Amino acid sequence: METLINFLKEINLSPETIDFYYDFFELLPAKDTITKQKTIDLFITLLKKFLEIKPQSEVRELLEIQARSLKSFVLGDLENYQKAINDFFSFLKSHTTSKNPESEITK
Amino acid sequence: MRFENPSNFIKPYQEQEKEKQEEIKLAPETEKWLAFIAENDKERAELLRQIIIEDIKAQREIKKPNSPWQEYTKKIKEEIKEPEVASLLIAGTPFVAAAGAFLGYSLFGGSVEAATIGSATTVFFETSSLWGEGAAVAIKEFISKLKQRIEKRSQSKKEPQAKDEVK
């Protein structure tokens, strides 16, 4: 867990978002402790892969949006959930080159 | 006088019909969970239902071959050699799907198959049987505990603020 928190701090996530991921992985049910650790390691590996290709600011933005959407789901907060989804699609729009209308999300 | 080609009307109608056919049906386990929540809080159960449906719709959109998400993650997918990471990435969108992927992975023993089960996190909401009764109970408990934790953190942030306001 400590490795995860340190890693999230390194990429400058907001303290609220770090708290959320801490709670998420601490409470996450797992088959056993080894599997739980493996899951956390996998999350870190996935983010590191992202960071090899995408700028830190984008990875951070995605993680913040993800935390907001998951939080809203858990709380049953539809309004903020929709906001997070819209932010995600806006994020994609501004970070992809495809302007083909067929590939645009028409939500 | 020129008449509009009838296929211009028929096509949107057919598309609408197709959309209707693709209506989302939640899994029996999800329905049971929502019914359980509704016993104490009908409004929350309804909101959760709407969130789940919106989440599934959004996932379907981004899984389409030409979606901006496919474009955004293309390079990462090409470079990923570890199958577990690839499986999680496929599901690892900023939606409830991402949580489902990690749940699947951690509950079912951290294997590629487990990640795949997780990556079909819609399984939890749409078809369910792969999760089984035990996993479904663990997931419900997890969501409930996480909710309490988030509320507690938000409460403890408000309290110092309230004290400051009194001063």
Side-chain angles (χ1 to χ4, degrees):
Chain A
M1 277 303 255
E2 212 185 316
T3 322
L4 172 70
I5 302 306
N6 288 338
F7 179 71
L8 296 178
K9 277 181 186 168
E10 270 173 40
I11 53 174
N12 286 325
L13 280 191
S14 67
E16 290 81 17
T17 306
I18 294 176
D19 283 348
F20 173 76
Y21 283 109
Y22 176 86
D23 293 341
F24 181 89
F25 283 103
E26 196 197 38
L27 298 171
L28 189 76
K31 191 183 168 198
D32 49 47
T33 47
I34 296 166
T35 313
K36 189 159 182 163
Q37 191 52 51
K38 217 175 148 186
T39 311
I40 296 169
D41 293 344
L42 195 59
F43 180 58
I44 298 171
T45 310
L46 179 63
L47 295 180
K48 282 184 177 166
K49 286 278 169 194
F50 249 105
L51 285 165
E52 282 171 18
I53 293 154
K54 304 286 182 191
Q56 186 178 298
S57 59
E58 284 182 29
V59 178
R60 187 176 62 230
E61 202 179 335
L62 268 179
L63 285 171
E64 297 277 359
I65 295 173
Q66 174 168 280
R68 278 198 284 129
S69 76
L70 288 177
K71 232 187 222 187
S72 312
F73 162 65
V74 170
L75 295 173
D77 181 346
L78 182 63
E79 205 186 320
N80 277 316
Y81 177 81
Q82 284 168 328
K83 242 184 228 171
I85 283 206
N86 285 337
D87 288 347
F88 172 64
F89 286 124
S90 304
F91 170 88
L92 286 182
K93 245 185 186 176
S94 52
H95 295 290
T96 50
T97 52
S98 170
K99 297 292 172 214
N100 176 0
E102 280 180 22
S103 70
E104 300 244 339
I105 307 290
T106 48
K107 275 184 76 75
Chain B
M1 196 174 179
R2 282 186 65 209
F3 289 93
E4 191 81 34
N5 183 344
S7 65
N8 289 349
F9 299 110
I10 294 165
K11 205 180 164 199
Y13 173 77
Q14 284 171 336
E15 278 166 9
Q16 276 175 19
E17 283 303 296
K18 202 180 163 203
E19 270 175 30
K20 271 187 204 163
Q21 282 166 16
E22 285 173 5
E23 257 175 35
I24 291 158
K25 199 169 175 244
L26 299 182
E29 273 307 324
T30 311
E31 288 294 356
K32 266 195 242 169
W33 177 55
L34 291 173
F36 173 74
I37 290 171
E39 281 175 21
N40 295 314
D41 193 341
K42 270 191 180 167
E43 199 190 353
R44 179 167 182 253
E46 187 45 42
L47 287 169
L48 281 171
R49 175 185 296 281
Q50 288 181 48
I51 291 175
I52 291 168
I53 289 173
E54 292 218 4
D55 199 79
I56 292 168
K57 280 186 190 165
Q59 283 176 62
R60 285 182 180 177
E61 276 298 324
I62 60 159
K63 279 180 183 165
K64 286 180 183 170
N66 292 328
S67 81
W69 176 250
Q70 300 301 331
E71 186 196 327
Y72 188 74
T73 54
K74 198 175 170 224
K75 207 175 164 196
I76 306 170
K77 276 185 207 157
E78 283 167 1
E79 292 191 13
I80 285 177
K81 302 284 178 281
E82 303 86 339
E84 291 100 329
V85 181
S87 299
L88 276 187
L89 178 68
I90 292 161
T93 61
F95 302 120
V96 180
F102 288 109
L103 274 166
Y105 192 77
S106 63
L107 276 171
F108 292 97
S111 64
V112 181
E113 290 76 19
T116 311
I117 291 171
S119 80
T121 178
T122 44
V123 163
F124 173 48
F125 295 126
E126 287 189 278
T127 53
S128 100
S129 56
L130 281 173
W131 288 92
E133 194 66 34
V137 170
I139 292 165
K140 285 173 205 167
E141 274 177 18
F142 167 62
I143 293 171
S144 165
K145 280 183 192 168
L146 191 55
K147 178 175 179 281
Q148 285 168 17
R149 185 73 71 88
I150 294 168
E151 285 170 343
K152 206 175 157 191
R153 281 194 190 274
S154 142
Q155 196 57 38
S156 61
K157 259 174 211 150
K158 275 178 195 164
E159 276 166 12
Q161 265 180 4
K163 277 178 195 167
D164 289 345
E165 278 165 19
V166 171
K167 280 177 194 172

